[in-house]
Amino acid sequence: MTKKIVLITGVTRGLGGAMAEEFIRLGHTVFGCGRSKDQIGQLTRRFSAPHEFRAVDVASEDEVKSWAAGLLASHSAPDLLLNNAALINKNRPLWKISGAEFSQVIDVNVKGVANVIRHFVPAMIQRGRGVIVNFSSGWGRSTDAEVAPYCATKWAIEGLSLALAQELPSGLAVVPLNPGIINTEMLQSSFGSSASSYPSPAEWAKTAVPFLLKLGPSDNGRQLGPP
Ligand SMILES: NC(=O)c1ccc[n+]([C@@H]2O[C@H](COP(=O)([O-])OP(=O)(O)OC[C@H]3O[C@@H](n4cnc5c(N)ncnc54)[C@H](OP(=O)(O)O)[C@@H]3O)[C@@H](O)[C@H]2O)c1
């Protein structure tokens, strides 16, 4: 099996954390980010070079730009770019959600994904290969009450990904992925105690990581469902 360079946003917990562990266990190199400096420090102590973890807020274009410049100066472009980092609004009807909370969800879930694409994808294009996976949701293809901002961002991710698929040169691919329903802090925020009846991120990653490793150019533009 070819060892891959995997870039993952949002590795400090949840699906991103579980994927990072599983890719590393299988011998791949992981570059990851998240905002929590303590968690990033723990990952750095636990997984030494060639893996690299950095405190980066994907909503900050300057932070993403500097992260990309640093990594790409000493490593080749990622084989797999996983735009996983996201936030969900607190369960509330749209008219009760503050402008600040609405903006934060858009800034991370949509503009954050575009920031990462803007600063990493040119190197992938130059290299002539690579797969971009933009984490969507069941709520990127359906809707529910009290999660309107989150739904808006995940529908945006579907559109952004399908348009990007029409722009990428051959050899590259981008897909929106609905990962399924997994018991993470995000799910607990929207589902409450019933989140505990869903699989753990570690269980999910055992199936998801081999699925992600198999994606290639022929998947470009496919709207993928749970692994
Ligand atoms: N869990 C599910 O059932 C489910 C279902 C459908 C879709 N999804 C999607 O799957 C992905 C992962 O979700 P999850 O359930 O694992 O969520 P989670 O447990 O809340 O974890 C989110 C991760 O994203 C990071 N993050 C948030 N804002 C960030 C920012 N501005 N910059 C960098 N990192 C940031 C968080 O780290 P910091 O707080 O340290 O920044 C954390 O590591 C998301 O895109 C989500 O929408 C999940």
Side-chain angles (χ1 to χ4, degrees):
M1 184 186 54
T2 319
K3 302 298 181 196
K4 295 194 171 177
I5 295 180
V6 186
L7 186 112
I8 311 175
T9 65
V11 284
T12 56
R13 60 172 185 271
L15 306 190
M19 286 190 289
E21 283 200 31
E22 186 62 9
F23 279 115
I24 291 171
R25 194 184 70 78
L26 294 174
H28 303 283
T29 297
V30 170
F31 301 140
C33 82
R35 293 164 306 170
S36 317
K37 290 194 171 71
D38 285 355
Q39 298 297 323
I40 290 293
Q42 281 181 28
L43 285 164
T44 302
R45 285 188 289 280
R46 200 165 150 215
F47 302 112
S48 50
H51 315 293
E52 278 190 43
F53 300 94
R54 179 149 156 194
V56 172
D57 179 346
V58 295
S60 160
E61 176 152 24
D62 286 347
E63 289 184 26
V64 172
K65 187 177 178 182
S66 135
W67 182 39
L71 279 178
L72 296 171
S74 46
H75 303 279
S76 61
D79 297 291
L80 199 49
L81 190 172
L82 306 178
N83 271 312
N84 162 79
L87 299 175
I88 196 161
N89 61 281
K90 289 196 191 71
N91 286 2
R92 270 191 211 114
L94 181 56
W95 63 90
K96 291 191 175 170
I97 292 169
S98 70
E101 185 178 4
F102 190 88
S103 292
Q104 197 191 15
V105 177
I106 302 279
D107 284 350
V108 176
N109 295 13
V110 182
K111 291 162 80 176
V113 169
N115 287 338
V116 173
I117 287 169
R118 191 174 306 115
H119 291 288
F120 283 97
V121 169
M124 295 170 75
I125 291 174
Q126 201 174 4
R127 194 177 174 211
R129 63 186 160 95
V131 174
I132 304 148
V133 179
N134 293 330
F135 277 60
S136 177
S137 172
W139 286 334
R141 298 166 194 170
S142 67
T143 55
D144 254 313
E146 303 208 317
V147 284
Y150 179 82
C151 287
T153 64
K154 293 302 181 178
W155 282 71
I157 284 301
E158 296 281 332
L160 178 153
S161 303
L162 298 190
L164 177 61
Q166 295 174 281
E167 299 165 351
L168 288 176
S170 64
L172 276 80
V174 58
V175 292
L177 170 72
N178 164 17
I181 306 180
I182 308 97
N183 182 14
T184 62
E185 282 184 29
M186 183 182 285
L187 194 75
Q188 289 153 20
S189 160
S190 53
F191 278 33
S193 58
S194 67
S196 62
S197 58
Y198 292 92
S200 71
E203 288 169 312
W204 174 85
K206 291 270 179 240
T207 313
V209 162
F211 171 88
L212 292 167
L213 285 167
K214 284 195 195 116
L215 297 176
S218 61
D219 294 302
N220 190 35
R222 288 180 62 205
Q223 291 171 287
L224 299 178

